[in-house]
Amino acid sequence: MRDLEFDQQHVWHPYASMREPGPVHEVVAAEGVWLQLADGVRMIDAMSSWWAAAHGHRHPRLVAAMQKQLQHLPHVMFGGLTHAPAVGLARRLVGMLPPGLDRVFYSDSGSVAVEVALKMALQAQLGLGQGGRMHFASARGGYYGDTWKAMSLCDPVTGMHSQFGAALQVQHFVPRPPIPFGAEWDEDPARNGLGAVEALFAKKAYEIAAFIVEPVVQGAGGMWFYHPRWLSGLRTLCDRHGVLLILDEIATGFGRTGTLLALERAGVVPDILCLGKALTGGMMSFAVTVASRRVAEAIADGPAPVLMHGPTFMGNPLACSVACASLDLLAEGHWQAQVAEIGAGLRQGLAPVRDLPAVQDVRVLGAIGVIEMRQPLDMARVHAFCRESGVWLRPFGRLLYCMPPFVCGPDEVARICAAMVRIAGWQE
Ligand SMILES: *Cc1c(COP(=O)(O)O)cnc(C)c1O
């Protein structure tokens, strides 16, 4: 049986059916912005392989870091043992994060990093004598991963709530931050969204351990860019009501939105921060949850003074070493000009569809470009067109979007835009 046939019969892909699996292209190699298919066709990876390959594929410095580590210590358990890559990565993270965020927990994926953050918040509340706070809150339109607790906080409509029904714990939701990024801020809490947060906290804060949100850019839950003032207002309300603030920067972290972290736009420091995706430059699945000293101390004051989590592959040396190399690349600072240039290219290249009747909105922030359609896109047709146009895109629902690798040049950005403009033009 040919590989593609076997794949279709036996291998699950993300959010796919095994009875009617969607079409797949077979990738044999990747370099820089390019994916090479088995039949020789090349496509630009306009998705950075789901936000991860920020420096492009197989960046020589990342490959070298992993190869070097492979020769000494590919893996070792983290219980009772440590190693230079784990310590080096923590040093780099603590150095780059806002002061006070300096207790680093390693895990294997973004969803797990979110689970760990939620556990940290609960255990910290226990330590603070707030054992009644066993629930969480979020804004609609969020995405925090596919594990159970993370899923329960994803948008209850576009997420998977209807599918899992009563098996999902009910959480508290406020509307998504209503004022778009770049629009004028409105001080009226009834219109800027903070009134809803205040009302929720006034009634329910006694049972809320933490509020979790993606700062400024909501990713997979709707590709929505919102006003940073909402985030600073949220921080104030959390403090007032004893609710811990968890920021999920798994998609936005490491330069994607134009600042190293999206939270910088609001000048907000969370109690707990999640990072993943581009952490290893897309080379390995890896994530971190970073807590403030205060949270770590509160956990240590709790009935179980240890944080109750410890994955088998925690602190994997290969992942840590490649993450160190990726952060060193970022520290050289070229990403800033690259992201700005990609953003300018996207703004210009996507402008032609802005006034199409089928298009609801076009928005660009950092190196993220979004065309929001009024009707859902024809996924199978887009999939086939990607091969034809040489641009890899993976829309969902009404959202056609890209977040190219930072090494994407102006011609490649123009090519991505041309493909997106073509697709948006299919709908009358
Ligand atoms: C992708 C993502 C996650 C989940 O990460 P996985 O590595 O897929 O488990 C969580 N939060 C945000 C904001 C994400 O974009």
mmCIF file of all heavy atoms in Angstrom, residues 33 46 50 76 105 130 142 163 180 203 258 263 269 273 278 298 320 324 326 328 333 361 368:
data_model
loop_
_atom_site.group_PDB
_atom_site.id
_atom_site.type_symbol
_atom_site.label_atom_id
_atom_site.label_comp_id
_atom_site.label_asym_id
_atom_site.label_seq_id
_atom_site.Cartn_x
_atom_site.Cartn_y
_atom_site.Cartn_z
ATOM 1 N N VAL A 33 11.674 28.939 4.485
ATOM 2 C CA VAL A 33 10.218 29.093 4.428
ATOM 3 C C VAL A 33 9.567 27.975 3.615
ATOM 4 O O VAL A 33 8.345 27.920 3.507
ATOM 5 C CB VAL A 33 9.809 30.460 3.818
ATOM 6 C CG1 VAL A 33 10.409 31.596 4.619
ATOM 7 C CG2 VAL A 33 10.202 30.563 2.351
ATOM 8 N N ALA A 46 3.259 29.305 5.060
ATOM 9 C CA ALA A 46 2.718 30.581 5.541
ATOM 10 C C ALA A 46 2.154 30.478 6.952
ATOM 11 O O ALA A 46 1.803 31.490 7.559
ATOM 12 C CB ALA A 46 1.633 31.087 4.585
ATOM 13 N N TRP A 50 1.962 26.139 12.290
ATOM 14 C CA TRP A 50 1.173 26.500 13.480
ATOM 15 C C TRP A 50 2.006 27.312 14.484
ATOM 16 O O TRP A 50 2.206 26.883 15.612
ATOM 17 C CB TRP A 50 0.520 25.261 14.123
ATOM 18 C CG TRP A 50 -0.806 24.934 13.485
ATOM 19 C CD1 TRP A 50 -1.592 25.742 12.733
ATOM 20 C CD2 TRP A 50 -1.537 23.684 13.564
ATOM 21 N NE1 TRP A 50 -2.736 25.103 12.331
ATOM 22 C CE2 TRP A 50 -2.732 23.839 12.830
ATOM 23 C CE3 TRP A 50 -1.278 22.464 14.183
ATOM 24 C CZ2 TRP A 50 -3.672 22.814 12.699
ATOM 25 C CZ3 TRP A 50 -2.217 21.449 14.052
ATOM 26 C CH2 TRP A 50 -3.402 21.619 13.313
ATOM 27 N N VAL A 76 17.301 12.632 29.904
ATOM 28 C CA VAL A 76 17.486 12.022 31.213
ATOM 29 C C VAL A 76 16.313 12.484 32.066
ATOM 30 O O VAL A 76 15.770 13.568 31.833
ATOM 31 C CB VAL A 76 18.836 12.433 31.839
ATOM 32 C CG1 VAL A 76 18.860 13.917 32.220
ATOM 33 C CG2 VAL A 76 19.161 11.591 33.069
ATOM 34 N N PHE A 105 8.722 26.114 35.072
ATOM 35 C CA PHE A 105 8.316 24.706 35.033
ATOM 36 C C PHE A 105 8.279 24.247 33.580
ATOM 37 O O PHE A 105 7.571 24.819 32.757
ATOM 38 C CB PHE A 105 6.920 24.532 35.663
ATOM 39 C CG PHE A 105 6.526 23.093 35.873
ATOM 40 C CD1 PHE A 105 6.613 22.502 37.125
ATOM 41 C CD2 PHE A 105 6.071 22.324 34.806
ATOM 42 C CE1 PHE A 105 6.263 21.169 37.313
ATOM 43 C CE2 PHE A 105 5.726 20.982 34.981
ATOM 44 C CZ PHE A 105 5.817 20.411 36.242
ATOM 45 N N GLN A 130 -7.388 30.230 50.441
ATOM 46 C CA GLN A 130 -8.568 30.495 49.608
ATOM 47 C C GLN A 130 -9.024 29.207 48.932
ATOM 48 O O GLN A 130 -9.224 29.172 47.711
ATOM 49 C CB GLN A 130 -8.223 31.549 48.546
ATOM 50 C CG GLN A 130 -7.842 32.900 49.103
ATOM 51 C CD GLN A 130 -9.071 33.659 49.579
ATOM 52 O OE1 GLN A 130 -10.080 33.724 48.883
ATOM 53 N NE2 GLN A 130 -9.009 34.210 50.773
ATOM 54 N N GLY A 142 -11.394 32.416 23.262
ATOM 55 C CA GLY A 142 -10.040 31.977 23.584
ATOM 56 C C GLY A 142 -9.744 30.573 23.095
ATOM 57 O O GLY A 142 -10.650 29.809 22.740
ATOM 58 N N GLN A 163 -19.682 19.161 22.008
ATOM 59 C CA GLN A 163 -19.276 17.778 21.792
ATOM 60 C C GLN A 163 -19.200 17.000 23.105
ATOM 61 O O GLN A 163 -19.636 15.869 23.185
ATOM 62 C CB GLN A 163 -17.886 17.803 21.159
ATOM 63 C CG GLN A 163 -17.444 16.524 20.545
ATOM 64 C CD GLN A 163 -18.067 16.363 19.171
ATOM 65 O OE1 GLN A 163 -18.681 17.277 18.663
ATOM 66 N NE2 GLN A 163 -17.940 15.189 18.611
ATOM 67 N N PRO A 180 -11.399 46.647 19.298
ATOM 68 C CA PRO A 180 -10.283 46.085 18.530
ATOM 69 C C PRO A 180 -8.960 46.781 18.815
ATOM 70 O O PRO A 180 -8.946 47.949 19.224
ATOM 71 C CB PRO A 180 -10.677 46.325 17.067
ATOM 72 C CG PRO A 180 -12.072 46.812 17.068
ATOM 73 C CD PRO A 180 -12.376 47.329 18.434
ATOM 74 N N LYS A 203 -19.830 38.983 41.752
ATOM 75 C CA LYS A 203 -20.719 37.890 42.144
ATOM 76 C C LYS A 203 -19.973 36.616 42.506
ATOM 77 O O LYS A 203 -20.363 35.890 43.412
ATOM 78 C CB LYS A 203 -21.687 37.584 40.976
ATOM 79 C CG LYS A 203 -23.029 38.224 41.188
ATOM 80 C CD LYS A 203 -24.233 37.724 40.392
ATOM 81 C CE LYS A 203 -24.136 36.649 39.377
ATOM 82 N NZ LYS A 203 -24.816 37.014 38.109
ATOM 83 N N GLY A 258 5.033 41.554 17.168
ATOM 84 C CA GLY A 258 5.767 42.805 16.996
ATOM 85 C C GLY A 258 6.508 43.248 18.252
ATOM 86 O O GLY A 258 7.397 44.086 18.192
ATOM 87 N N LEU A 263 2.269 40.762 25.971
ATOM 88 C CA LEU A 263 1.886 41.439 27.212
ATOM 89 C C LEU A 263 2.566 42.806 27.351
ATOM 90 O O LEU A 263 2.077 43.679 28.077
ATOM 91 C CB LEU A 263 2.167 40.559 28.437
ATOM 92 C CG LEU A 263 3.596 40.069 28.706
ATOM 93 C CD1 LEU A 263 4.438 41.130 29.391
ATOM 94 C CD2 LEU A 263 3.564 38.819 29.562
ATOM 95 N N VAL A 269 2.013 42.424 34.015
ATOM 96 C CA VAL A 269 2.767 41.242 34.433
ATOM 97 C C VAL A 269 1.776 40.252 35.047
ATOM 98 O O VAL A 269 1.088 40.577 36.013
ATOM 99 C CB VAL A 269 3.864 41.600 35.462
ATOM 100 C CG1 VAL A 269 4.665 40.351 35.824
ATOM 101 C CG2 VAL A 269 4.780 42.683 34.906
ATOM 102 N N LEU A 273 2.629 32.594 33.539
ATOM 103 C CA LEU A 273 2.746 32.795 32.096
ATOM 104 C C LEU A 273 3.021 31.455 31.416
ATOM 105 O O LEU A 273 3.848 30.671 31.898
ATOM 106 C CB LEU A 273 3.914 33.750 31.823
ATOM 107 C CG LEU A 273 4.249 34.045 30.364
ATOM 108 C CD1 LEU A 273 3.174 34.925 29.734
ATOM 109 C CD2 LEU A 273 5.611 34.722 30.256
ATOM 110 N N ALA A 278 6.733 28.541 19.435
ATOM 111 C CA ALA A 278 8.013 28.994 18.869
ATOM 112 C C ALA A 278 9.172 28.890 19.858
ATOM 113 O O ALA A 278 10.307 29.230 19.521
ATOM 114 C CB ALA A 278 7.888 30.429 18.363
ATOM 115 N N ALA A 298 3.271 30.770 47.644
ATOM 116 C CA ALA A 298 1.934 30.389 48.110
ATOM 117 C C ALA A 298 1.732 28.885 47.968
ATOM 118 O O ALA A 298 1.157 28.232 48.854
ATOM 119 C CB ALA A 298 0.861 31.156 47.328
ATOM 120 N N CYS A 320 15.494 21.650 25.452
ATOM 121 C CA CYS A 320 16.071 22.806 26.146
ATOM 122 C C CYS A 320 17.212 23.416 25.339
ATOM 123 O O CYS A 320 17.331 24.633 25.231
ATOM 124 C CB CYS A 320 16.581 22.410 27.529
ATOM 125 S SG CYS A 320 15.297 22.092 28.740
ATOM 126 N N CYS A 324 17.332 27.140 23.796
ATOM 127 C CA CYS A 324 18.396 28.115 24.101
ATOM 128 C C CYS A 324 18.912 28.743 22.803
ATOM 129 O O CYS A 324 19.079 29.969 22.704
ATOM 130 C CB CYS A 324 19.571 27.435 24.811
ATOM 131 S SG CYS A 324 19.238 27.015 26.528
ATOM 132 N N SER A 326 17.380 29.017 19.991
ATOM 133 C CA SER A 326 16.342 29.859 19.402
ATOM 134 C C SER A 326 16.269 31.211 20.118
ATOM 135 O O SER A 326 16.138 32.264 19.473
ATOM 136 C CB SER A 326 14.993 29.140 19.471
ATOM 137 O OG SER A 326 13.986 29.955 18.921
ATOM 138 N N ASP A 328 18.728 32.626 21.684
ATOM 139 C CA ASP A 328 19.941 33.366 21.326
ATOM 140 C C ASP A 328 19.780 34.058 19.974
ATOM 141 O O ASP A 328 20.200 35.204 19.791
ATOM 142 C CB ASP A 328 21.159 32.426 21.301
ATOM 143 C CG ASP A 328 21.543 31.967 22.712
ATOM 144 O OD1 ASP A 328 21.047 32.571 23.694
ATOM 145 O OD2 ASP A 328 22.315 30.998 22.827
ATOM 146 N N GLY A 333 18.209 40.133 17.733
ATOM 147 C CA GLY A 333 17.321 41.269 17.460
ATOM 148 C C GLY A 333 16.852 41.470 16.037
ATOM 149 O O GLY A 333 16.068 42.367 15.774
ATOM 150 N N ASP A 361 -13.660 41.440 7.404
ATOM 151 C CA ASP A 361 -12.611 42.257 8.015
ATOM 152 C C ASP A 361 -11.244 41.754 7.538
ATOM 153 O O ASP A 361 -11.068 40.569 7.277
ATOM 154 C CB ASP A 361 -12.700 42.155 9.547
ATOM 155 C CG ASP A 361 -11.760 43.143 10.256
ATOM 156 O OD1 ASP A 361 -11.490 44.221 9.688
ATOM 157 O OD2 ASP A 361 -11.291 42.826 11.361
ATOM 158 N N ILE A 368 1.274 38.700 11.594
ATOM 159 C CA ILE A 368 0.044 37.904 11.508
ATOM 160 C C ILE A 368 -0.911 38.638 10.573
ATOM 161 O O ILE A 368 -1.175 39.829 10.774
ATOM 162 C CB ILE A 368 -0.663 37.761 12.875
ATOM 163 C CG1 ILE A 368 0.314 37.337 13.964
ATOM 164 C CG2 ILE A 368 -1.836 36.785 12.776
ATOM 165 C CD1 ILE A 368 -0.275 37.426 15.378
#
